[in-house]
């Protein structure tokens, strides 16, 4: 029996690639020198696209695959997949939620601690001889701070639960009050949420409606002592407004795992001392990436076996 043809948009760890090559006919789009010619040759026989949260599948790619049935995303974020194009043709879409929730929430907490206590600078202070000249400057206490969670989905909820362990006063903004948010204040307006927060954690899924939801007004409300944490998507933050505020001191500091144009950062970030920069690795552990790969492959296998998808988006 012919192994289903799958268009692979980006690289996967070897432990996934070996298994995918065994079960499917994989066409490595990311390795092709002439992508237009590659799509012309492979597109017509492609039944599924295997992509990643950071890469997605744009309309042109989808249009080049007239027999496309499924797009399986290795990642929870499917904002880079053209869902309208999929809806128009009845193309199914899956992602890999839940298996990466803990890692993303864990990294957000680590970023809060690193930023608030200046741990990235303290490491340099201990290593470069500064300590001999004097003690490390005082930083900011984390326990008991006021935390605002922008988006109380799986990851936002996991972050809030972790921050309860630091006795933080927790509030959140979401599309509506949540049943699983006992003891946390619901503040729908992002500006109001930022105004009452010391730390604002951006966890919501990126959509057209959330683009730049963290705008100049939100950043100003968070203020000169405020800390912004973004583990969602760069599109949720007005990056120019953020850089302006970090440079002027209108915003205290920021810890970011996602950036416009990543992996190429705006050089203005590199000149700042009041930021923690992370290379989009919130789900980046062996355990979690293995679970993501398994779930992505299980969705593909289920589809071709005519069985229900495990984690459908569409
Ligand atoms: C990606 C992410 O999956 O889950 C997401 O949406 O942003 C990441 O975990 C990552 O880019 C995988 O390569």
């Amino acid at each position: 029996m012919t192994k289903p043809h799958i268009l692979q948009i980006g690289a996967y760890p070897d432990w996934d690639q070996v298994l995918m090559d065994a079960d499917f006919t994989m066409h490595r789009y990311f390795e092709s020198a002439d992508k237009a010619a590659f799509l012309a040759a492979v597109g017509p026989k492609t039944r599924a696209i295997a992509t990643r949260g950071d890469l997605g599948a744009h309309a042109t790619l989808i249009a080049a695959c007239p027999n496309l049935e499924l797009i399986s995303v290795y990642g929870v974020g499917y904002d880079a997949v053209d869902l309208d194009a999929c809806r128009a043709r009845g193309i199914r879409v899956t992602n890999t939620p839940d298996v990466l929730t803990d890692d993303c929430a864990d990294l957000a907490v680590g970023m809060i601690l690193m930023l608030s206590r200046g741990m990235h600078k303290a490491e340099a202070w201990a290593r470069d001889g500064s300590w001999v000249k004097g003690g490390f400057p005082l930083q900011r206490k984390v326990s008991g701070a006021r935390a605002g969670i922008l988006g109380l989905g799986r990851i936002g909820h996991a972050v809030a639960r972790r921050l309860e362990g630091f006795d933080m006063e927790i509030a959140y903004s979401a599309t509506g009050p949540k049943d699983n948010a006992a003891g946390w204040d619901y503040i729908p307006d992002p500006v109001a949420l930022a105004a009452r927060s010391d730390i604002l954690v951006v966890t919501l899924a990126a959509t057209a409606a959330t683009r730049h939801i963290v705008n100049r007004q939100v950043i100003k409300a968070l203020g000169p002592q405020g800390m912004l944490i973004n583990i969602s998507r760069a599109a949720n933050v007005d990056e120019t407004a953020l850089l302006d505020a970090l440079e002027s001191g209108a915003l205290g500091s920021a810890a970011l795992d996602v950036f416009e144009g990543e992996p190429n950062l705006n050089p203005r970030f590199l000149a700042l001392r009041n930021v923690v920069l992370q290379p989009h690795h919130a789900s980046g552990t062996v355990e979690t990436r293995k679970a993501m790969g398994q779930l992505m492959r299980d969705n593909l296998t289920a589809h071709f076996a005519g069985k229900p998808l495990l984690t459908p988006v569409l």
Side-chain angles (χ1 to χ4, degrees), residues 82-98:
D82 191 316
L83 294 185
D84 289 339
C86 293
R87 289 189 189 96
R89 289 177 41 194
I91 296 167
R92 306 298 304 277
V93 178
T94 61
N95 65 341
T96 60
D98 296 320

PDB file of all heavy atoms in Angstrom, residues 82-98:
ATOM      1  N   ASP A  82      -3.437  29.216   7.626  1.00  0.00           N
ATOM      2  CA  ASP A  82      -4.550  29.985   7.045  1.00  0.00           C
ATOM      3  C   ASP A  82      -5.840  29.189   7.215  1.00  0.00           C
ATOM      4  O   ASP A  82      -6.205  28.370   6.356  1.00  0.00           O
ATOM      5  CB  ASP A  82      -4.272  30.301   5.578  1.00  0.00           C
ATOM      6  CG  ASP A  82      -5.264  31.324   5.024  1.00  0.00           C
ATOM      7  OD1 ASP A  82      -6.487  31.165   5.320  1.00  0.00           O
ATOM      8  OD2 ASP A  82      -4.847  32.251   4.330  1.00  0.00           O
ATOM      9  N   LEU A  83      -6.527  29.436   8.301  1.00  0.00           N
ATOM     10  CA  LEU A  83      -7.733  28.648   8.627  1.00  0.00           C
ATOM     11  C   LEU A  83      -8.862  28.923   7.640  1.00  0.00           C
ATOM     12  O   LEU A  83      -9.646  28.020   7.320  1.00  0.00           O
ATOM     13  CB  LEU A  83      -8.184  28.945  10.055  1.00  0.00           C
ATOM     14  CG  LEU A  83      -7.247  28.504  11.190  1.00  0.00           C
ATOM     15  CD1 LEU A  83      -7.914  28.775  12.543  1.00  0.00           C
ATOM     16  CD2 LEU A  83      -6.848  27.051  11.062  1.00  0.00           C
ATOM     17  N   ASP A  84      -8.933  30.152   7.136  1.00  0.00           N
ATOM     18  CA  ASP A  84      -9.989  30.453   6.156  1.00  0.00           C
ATOM     19  C   ASP A  84      -9.823  29.587   4.909  1.00  0.00           C
ATOM     20  O   ASP A  84     -10.805  29.046   4.374  1.00  0.00           O
ATOM     21  CB  ASP A  84      -9.946  31.932   5.772  1.00  0.00           C
ATOM     22  CG  ASP A  84     -10.418  32.833   6.912  1.00  0.00           C
ATOM     23  OD1 ASP A  84     -11.135  32.314   7.808  1.00  0.00           O
ATOM     24  OD2 ASP A  84     -10.049  34.021   6.910  1.00  0.00           O
ATOM     25  N   ALA A  85      -8.578  29.423   4.485  1.00  0.00           N
ATOM     26  CA  ALA A  85      -8.319  28.577   3.304  1.00  0.00           C
ATOM     27  C   ALA A  85      -8.703  27.136   3.608  1.00  0.00           C
ATOM     28  O   ALA A  85      -9.248  26.424   2.752  1.00  0.00           O
ATOM     29  CB  ALA A  85      -6.854  28.665   2.913  1.00  0.00           C
ATOM     30  N   CYS A  86      -8.450  26.710   4.837  1.00  0.00           N
ATOM     31  CA  CYS A  86      -8.810  25.337   5.220  1.00  0.00           C
ATOM     32  C   CYS A  86     -10.315  25.158   5.293  1.00  0.00           C
ATOM     33  O   CYS A  86     -10.874  24.188   4.788  1.00  0.00           O
ATOM     34  CB  CYS A  86      -8.183  25.008   6.563  1.00  0.00           C
ATOM     35  SG  CYS A  86      -6.379  24.927   6.526  1.00  0.00           S
ATOM     36  N   ARG A  87     -10.999  26.126   5.901  1.00  0.00           N
ATOM     37  CA  ARG A  87     -12.469  26.040   6.007  1.00  0.00           C
ATOM     38  C   ARG A  87     -13.105  25.982   4.626  1.00  0.00           C
ATOM     39  O   ARG A  87     -14.038  25.213   4.383  1.00  0.00           O
ATOM     40  CB  ARG A  87     -13.011  27.249   6.765  1.00  0.00           C
ATOM     41  CG  ARG A  87     -12.721  27.269   8.235  1.00  0.00           C
ATOM     42  CD  ARG A  87     -13.488  28.388   8.949  1.00  0.00           C
ATOM     43  NE  ARG A  87     -13.046  28.541  10.333  1.00  0.00           N
ATOM     44  CZ  ARG A  87     -12.139  29.422  10.735  1.00  0.00           C
ATOM     45  NH1 ARG A  87     -11.577  30.236   9.837  1.00  0.00           N
ATOM     46  NH2 ARG A  87     -11.773  29.491  12.014  1.00  0.00           N
ATOM     47  N   ALA A  88     -12.568  26.783   3.705  1.00  0.00           N
ATOM     48  CA  ALA A  88     -13.162  26.865   2.356  1.00  0.00           C
ATOM     49  C   ALA A  88     -13.111  25.524   1.634  1.00  0.00           C
ATOM     50  O   ALA A  88     -13.955  25.234   0.780  1.00  0.00           O
ATOM     51  CB  ALA A  88     -12.427  27.929   1.538  1.00  0.00           C
ATOM     52  N   ARG A  89     -12.136  24.681   2.008  1.00  0.00           N
ATOM     53  CA  ARG A  89     -11.983  23.406   1.304  1.00  0.00           C
ATOM     54  C   ARG A  89     -12.234  22.199   2.198  1.00  0.00           C
ATOM     55  O   ARG A  89     -12.016  21.065   1.774  1.00  0.00           O
ATOM     56  CB  ARG A  89     -10.570  23.343   0.705  1.00  0.00           C
ATOM     57  CG  ARG A  89     -10.367  24.287  -0.464  1.00  0.00           C
ATOM     58  CD  ARG A  89      -8.951  24.276  -1.016  1.00  0.00           C
ATOM     59  NE  ARG A  89      -8.381  22.952  -1.097  1.00  0.00           N
ATOM     60  CZ  ARG A  89      -7.073  22.733  -1.287  1.00  0.00           C
ATOM     61  NH1 ARG A  89      -6.230  23.762  -1.374  1.00  0.00           N
ATOM     62  NH2 ARG A  89      -6.593  21.506  -1.367  1.00  0.00           N
ATOM     63  N   GLY A  90     -12.673  22.453   3.434  1.00  0.00           N
ATOM     64  CA  GLY A  90     -12.944  21.330   4.339  1.00  0.00           C
ATOM     65  C   GLY A  90     -11.699  20.587   4.754  1.00  0.00           C
ATOM     66  O   GLY A  90     -11.735  19.380   5.033  1.00  0.00           O
ATOM     67  N   ILE A  91     -10.586  21.293   4.819  1.00  0.00           N
ATOM     68  CA  ILE A  91      -9.319  20.673   5.234  1.00  0.00           C
ATOM     69  C   ILE A  91      -9.263  20.648   6.766  1.00  0.00           C
ATOM     70  O   ILE A  91      -9.513  21.677   7.414  1.00  0.00           O
ATOM     71  CB  ILE A  91      -8.115  21.474   4.672  1.00  0.00           C
ATOM     72  CG1 ILE A  91      -8.116  21.423   3.140  1.00  0.00           C
ATOM     73  CG2 ILE A  91      -6.791  20.927   5.225  1.00  0.00           C
ATOM     74  CD1 ILE A  91      -7.169  22.430   2.499  1.00  0.00           C
ATOM     75  N   ARG A  92      -9.011  19.487   7.343  1.00  0.00           N
ATOM     76  CA  ARG A  92      -8.912  19.369   8.784  1.00  0.00           C
ATOM     77  C   ARG A  92      -7.612  19.961   9.303  1.00  0.00           C
ATOM     78  O   ARG A  92      -6.602  19.996   8.555  1.00  0.00           O
ATOM     79  CB  ARG A  92      -9.021  17.900   9.212  1.00  0.00           C
ATOM     80  CG  ARG A  92     -10.242  17.136   8.716  1.00  0.00           C
ATOM     81  CD  ARG A  92     -11.559  17.723   9.236  1.00  0.00           C
ATOM     82  NE  ARG A  92     -11.646  17.827  10.689  1.00  0.00           N
ATOM     83  CZ  ARG A  92     -12.010  16.808  11.482  1.00  0.00           C
ATOM     84  NH1 ARG A  92     -12.227  15.606  10.963  1.00  0.00           N
ATOM     85  NH2 ARG A  92     -12.112  16.991  12.791  1.00  0.00           N
ATOM     86  N   VAL A  93      -7.625  20.411  10.531  1.00  0.00           N
ATOM     87  CA  VAL A  93      -6.417  20.960  11.156  1.00  0.00           C
ATOM     88  C   VAL A  93      -6.312  20.400  12.574  1.00  0.00           C
ATOM     89  O   VAL A  93      -7.320  20.328  13.291  1.00  0.00           O
ATOM     90  CB  VAL A  93      -6.447  22.503  11.210  1.00  0.00           C
ATOM     91  CG1 VAL A  93      -5.194  23.066  11.908  1.00  0.00           C
ATOM     92  CG2 VAL A  93      -6.560  23.084   9.798  1.00  0.00           C
ATOM     93  N   THR A  94      -5.122  19.977  12.969  1.00  0.00           N
ATOM     94  CA  THR A  94      -4.889  19.540  14.352  1.00  0.00           C
ATOM     95  C   THR A  94      -3.678  20.269  14.936  1.00  0.00           C
ATOM     96  O   THR A  94      -2.826  20.765  14.183  1.00  0.00           O
ATOM     97  CB  THR A  94      -4.609  18.016  14.413  1.00  0.00           C
ATOM     98  OG1 THR A  94      -3.425  17.730  13.633  1.00  0.00           O
ATOM     99  CG2 THR A  94      -5.774  17.215  13.887  1.00  0.00           C
ATOM    100  N   ASN A  95      -3.619  20.347  16.246  1.00  0.00           N
ATOM    101  CA  ASN A  95      -2.452  20.914  16.933  1.00  0.00           C
ATOM    102  C   ASN A  95      -2.053  19.990  18.084  1.00  0.00           C
ATOM    103  O   ASN A  95      -2.576  18.874  18.192  1.00  0.00           O
ATOM    104  CB  ASN A  95      -2.735  22.341  17.430  1.00  0.00           C
ATOM    105  CG  ASN A  95      -3.827  22.389  18.501  1.00  0.00           C
ATOM    106  OD1 ASN A  95      -4.624  21.452  18.653  1.00  0.00           O
ATOM    107  ND2 ASN A  95      -3.873  23.474  19.249  1.00  0.00           N
ATOM    108  N   THR A  96      -1.156  20.443  18.951  1.00  0.00           N
ATOM    109  CA  THR A  96      -0.702  19.565  20.053  1.00  0.00           C
ATOM    110  C   THR A  96      -0.841  20.296  21.386  1.00  0.00           C
ATOM    111  O   THR A  96       0.166  20.642  22.029  1.00  0.00           O
ATOM    112  CB  THR A  96       0.760  19.116  19.844  1.00  0.00           C
ATOM    113  OG1 THR A  96       1.619  20.269  19.797  1.00  0.00           O
ATOM    114  CG2 THR A  96       0.913  18.311  18.562  1.00  0.00           C
ATOM    115  N   PRO A  97      -2.082  20.540  21.836  1.00  0.00           N
ATOM    116  CA  PRO A  97      -2.306  21.200  23.134  1.00  0.00           C
ATOM    117  C   PRO A  97      -2.042  20.249  24.299  1.00  0.00           C
ATOM    118  O   PRO A  97      -1.793  19.059  24.092  1.00  0.00           O
ATOM    119  CB  PRO A  97      -3.791  21.554  23.064  1.00  0.00           C
ATOM    120  CG  PRO A  97      -4.392  20.459  22.221  1.00  0.00           C
ATOM    121  CD  PRO A  97      -3.334  20.123  21.196  1.00  0.00           C
ATOM    122  N   ASP A  98      -2.107  20.765  25.481  1.00  0.00           N
ATOM    123  CA  ASP A  98      -2.014  20.008  26.742  1.00  0.00           C
ATOM    124  C   ASP A  98      -0.617  19.436  27.003  1.00  0.00           C
ATOM    125  O   ASP A  98      -0.055  19.648  28.082  1.00  0.00           O
ATOM    126  CB  ASP A  98      -3.056  18.887  26.788  1.00  0.00           C
ATOM    127  CG  ASP A  98      -4.474  19.453  26.789  1.00  0.00           C
ATOM    128  OD1 ASP A  98      -4.695  20.477  27.475  1.00  0.00           O
ATOM    129  OD2 ASP A  98      -5.332  18.908  26.072  1.00  0.00           O
TER     130      ASP A  98
END
